[in-house]
Amino acid sequence: MKSYKFILLSTSFGIALLAVSCQKSFLDVPVQGQATTATDPNLAVNLVTGVYNSLYNSEAFGGAGGDVHGISFIAATNIISDDADKGSTATDQPPLVDIDNFTTTPTNNFVAALWNGYYSGISRANQALAALATSSIDAKTKNQLIGEVRFIRGYYYFNLVRFFGKVPKVVRVPKDAQDANTDPAFQTRAPVDTIYNVITQDLLVALANLPLKAQAGVGHANKGAAQALLAKTYLYRKNWHQVQALTQEVINSGQYALVPDYTTIWRYVGNNNAESIFETQSGTFNNGDIAVGGYCTWQGPRVGGKGGWTDLGFGFDTPSQDLVNAYEAGDKRKASTIITVDNSGKHVGTVLYDGFRIPSSDSVQNLFYNYKAYASENKNVEPYLGNRDKKQKNLRLLRYADVLLMNAEAANELGQTAAAVTYLNMIRTRAGLPATKAASQADVRTAIWKERRIELAMEHDRFFDLVRTGRAAQVMQAAGKNFVAGKNELLPIPSLQIQLSGGQLDQNPGY
């Protein structure tokens, strides 16, 4: 059977319903189930479940579909920013060193895993949408499932365009090998504006077909999630009127509220809380032992001797000293975001919320660790099934505080500075801080940017915020990084993808 030159969608991803032999790319097979979805609605539903499951892809821990939210995602969002350092030992994982130092090349395996993971997820979404089109499911259910899938596909493209800029626009399953090899959509990069239009259209469909959070079911994409992500899409396009309108709809919906205790947001007890707009679900859609592979293990404190093995993790993605210094005195969020290892010389150690004691700094590799990535192994505190690589950890991908800060930023840019300060101060009040002293539009803008950094610290947004506001070069160069303006705002296109496209994929500037 004819093979494809282009690897864009050729990663296999183990959906049992796709009867694909190990010798074939799934692109070699027509959409499975088109002849049976009319009589077997479960087929389409199971394919939608497969789309949700793609959120867990993590290449480094055995995920055949690349990396979506694992260490590659962590590196390209947190480690790359001024919020975090690579951590662990100095020489461990040189490709992560390159991402941290902006010396990444097109052969970086973590960058390649991101590309594969996101396009694998998009492939699942396209398969599910094709199956839903002919499914015998009742119209209301079908439209809701279509909305859920298009929300996730929109989310995938939103991250892809932030990672790589121009990317291929793949919104359908190819008919056959010839179609895959001749349609430029599969082998060339679409303009950034085109990709943002894909995201917008996906999210508009989702918004029109999804119920509110209270009716959607735990873990399912909902109307508020579509509104929030669409608002964030417009944030990157500086469409302030749309940002304000959409975030105000989320605020007015009555579905969300700030959680009084910030410390609980990323813990098991905080799963699907009032602030959660969309998060991954450990065990909800498949079984109890499903989660983002290695998310906690990669970032867990490296205990057991500075060069030795670990009790909790590998110690990557450590909060930077710059982030530590950025907190105001009395900010409650600091202790909830950063694990600070005892460095007093008294060998007291640091006790975590579940009672686990991290020894003093003489037996721990780094002084700071990401508290938001920690999940307990104490079964009396949180569920633990014995699999460190797949701890029961939900990732909060969208939350209400982000919506409030987006609304504040939009209001300020539209000249409504007093309204902006109101939402900004709601965030500060929960953190135990006094009202901002900023009053002018310029000062409030700076205050909102700083509040986004602190409120969403280690939550995978900081670097993108620096890029979209034009501050990346200034901030990263001040941090001593090898950041080159006009280049390092984006990751390189993986060299293997360019080769397999016959050179039809072009490279980002500077690489």
Side-chain angles (χ1 to χ4, degrees):
M1 180 172 288
K2 183 176 180 179
S3 62
Y4 297 125
K5 296 180 294 182
F6 194 38
I7 199 172
L8 176 67
L9 300 176
S10 66
T11 306
S12 62
F13 43 66
I15 299 179
L17 293 168
L18 298 180
V20 183
S21 74
C22 61
Q23 287 79 27
K24 300 175 181 177
S25 158
F26 86 89
L27 281 181
D28 292 319
V29 182
V31 178
Q32 300 298 297
Q34 283 196 349
T36 60
T37 49
T39 56
D40 183 9
N42 289 330
L43 175 59
V45 173
N46 288 339
L47 286 172
V48 173
T49 299
V51 177
Y52 277 99
N53 285 344
S54 68
L55 293 165
Y56 306 112
N57 283 357
S58 178
E59 180 70 20
F61 281 83
D67 193 302
V68 172
H69 290 125
I71 184 58
S72 298
F73 175 77
I74 293 165
T77 55
N78 284 354
I79 293 174
I80 200 172
S81 79
D82 59 333
D83 272 4
D85 298 315
K86 178 190 76 75
S88 192
T89 60
T91 59
D92 198 0
Q93 296 295 334
L96 294 182
V97 176
D98 289 335
I99 291 174
D100 191 15
N101 292 334
F102 295 99
T103 54
T104 308
T105 68
T107 59
N108 187 290
N109 60 298
F110 292 105
V111 173
L114 273 181
W115 182 283
N116 291 339
Y118 277 85
Y119 273 109
S120 176
I122 289 168
S123 299
R124 290 195 185 196
N126 292 340
Q127 290 277 5
L129 291 171
L132 284 167
T134 57
S135 174
S136 60
I137 302 172
D138 67 273
K140 181 180 179 181
T141 302
K142 178 187 292 191
N143 288 337
Q144 180 172 338
L145 291 174
I146 288 171
E148 293 182 38
V149 172
R150 293 195 68 168
F151 168 80
I152 295 175
R153 189 174 71 177
Y155 169 75
Y156 284 160
Y157 269 116
F158 180 62
N159 280 348
L160 277 173
V161 77
R162 295 192 296 171
F163 287 137
F164 298 105
K166 297 189 301 179
V167 292
K169 174 189 172 183
V170 181
V171 292
R172 66 178 180 87
V173 179
K175 300 174 183 177
D176 51 32
Q178 182 177 2
D179 182 26
N181 285 326
T182 57
D183 187 340
F186 295 111
Q187 302 189 27
T188 59
R189 296 203 292 162
V192 166
D193 286 345
T194 299
I195 299 303
Y196 271 108
N197 187 56
V198 169
I199 299 165
T200 300
Q201 293 306 311
D202 272 348
L203 296 177
L204 285 172
V205 170
L207 193 159
N209 289 286
L210 294 178
L212 295 172
K213 178 182 178 180
Q215 288 80 45
V218 174
H220 289 268
N222 57 70
K223 185 175 183 178
Q227 290 168 324
L229 186 55
L230 184 56
K232 204 160 191 173
T233 300
Y234 285 127
L235 183 76
Y236 281 74
R237 309 304 281 163
K238 294 181 169 57
N239 188 333
W240 303 116
H241 287 286
Q242 289 285 4
V243 174
Q244 185 181 49
L246 286 160
T247 52
Q248 198 63 51
E249 287 183 25
V250 176
I251 293 166
N252 293 342
S253 71
Q255 300 290 299
Y256 309 99
L258 292 178
V259 173
D261 185 358
Y262 185 89
T263 63
T264 65
I265 292 175
W266 272 71
R267 297 180 187 175
Y268 183 85
V269 70
N271 283 357
N272 304 300
N273 58 50
E275 190 163 340
S276 175
I277 296 178
F278 185 72
E279 62 188 72
T280 65
Q281 303 294 313
S282 298
T284 300
F285 291 106
N286 196 327
N287 57 61
D289 195 18
I290 187 169
V292 177
Y295 187 85
C296 300
T297 312
W298 276 99
Q299 300 178 81
R302 192 179 182 101
V303 181
K306 292 191 175 183
W309 186 234
T310 168
D311 286 331
L312 294 177
F314 301 116
F316 291 98
D317 190 30
T318 56
S320 66
Q321 186 67 58
D322 189 74
L323 175 62
V324 173
N325 295 342
Y327 286 86
E328 298 175 46
D331 194 325
K332 298 176 182 179
R333 296 170 295 190
K334 183 177 182 180
S336 305
T337 303
I338 301 170
I339 296 173
T340 301
V341 176
D342 171 42
N343 194 30
S344 65
K346 298 179 181 179
H347 303 282
V348 176
T350 299
V351 179
L352 303 183
Y353 68 84
D354 61 347
F356 186 89
R357 178 182 175 275
I358 300 176
S360 54
S361 59
D362 59 348
S363 61
V364 180
Q365 185 66 41
N366 312 101
L367 291 180
F368 306 114
Y369 292 99
N370 182 4
Y371 219 158
K372 292 178 179 178
Y374 181 75
S376 179
E377 295 181 8
N378 184 340
K379 295 180 181 179
N380 294 321
V381 176
E382 295 178 357
Y384 177 58
L385 303 179
N387 186 345
R388 279 185 172 164
D389 291 345
K390 293 187 178 181
K391 289 185 177 180
Q392 304 302 286
K393 185 73 171 179
N394 289 7
L395 273 62
R396 280 60 165 167
L397 301 179
L398 289 168
R399 61 184 181 91
Y400 188 57
D402 191 1
V403 168
L404 293 177
L405 289 171
M406 285 194 286
N407 188 285
E409 187 170 349
N412 189 56
E413 296 302 326
L414 293 170
Q416 303 165 21
T417 300
V421 168
T422 298
Y423 285 134
L424 175 62
N425 283 336
M426 285 178 62
I427 302 294
R428 291 179 59 81
T429 296
R430 179 180 57 180
L433 298 175
T436 181
K437 295 180 180 179
S440 70
Q441 184 185 46
D443 287 347
V444 170
R445 179 185 297 120
T446 300
I448 290 169
W449 287 348
K450 180 178 180 181
E451 207 64 39
R452 284 190 64 84
R453 182 187 190 185
I454 299 302
E455 174 67 24
L456 304 174
M458 307 301 288
E459 293 186 36
H460 312 292
D461 254 348
R462 170 64 174 174
F463 181 71
F464 298 132
D465 274 346
L466 290 175
V467 171
R468 73 173 176 85
T469 57
R471 296 175 291 150
Q474 175 188 355
V475 170
M476 301 314 300
Q477 289 171 5
K481 304 295 185 181
N482 301 305
F483 190 99
V484 177
K487 171 186 176 181
N488 293 125
E489 292 86 353
L490 299 172
L491 297 171
I493 305 301
S495 58
L496 181 60
Q497 299 293 337
I498 295 176
Q499 295 169 14
L500 293 170
S501 73
Q504 294 187 71
L505 280 180
D506 59 314
Q507 184 56 271
N508 278 325
Y511 292 102

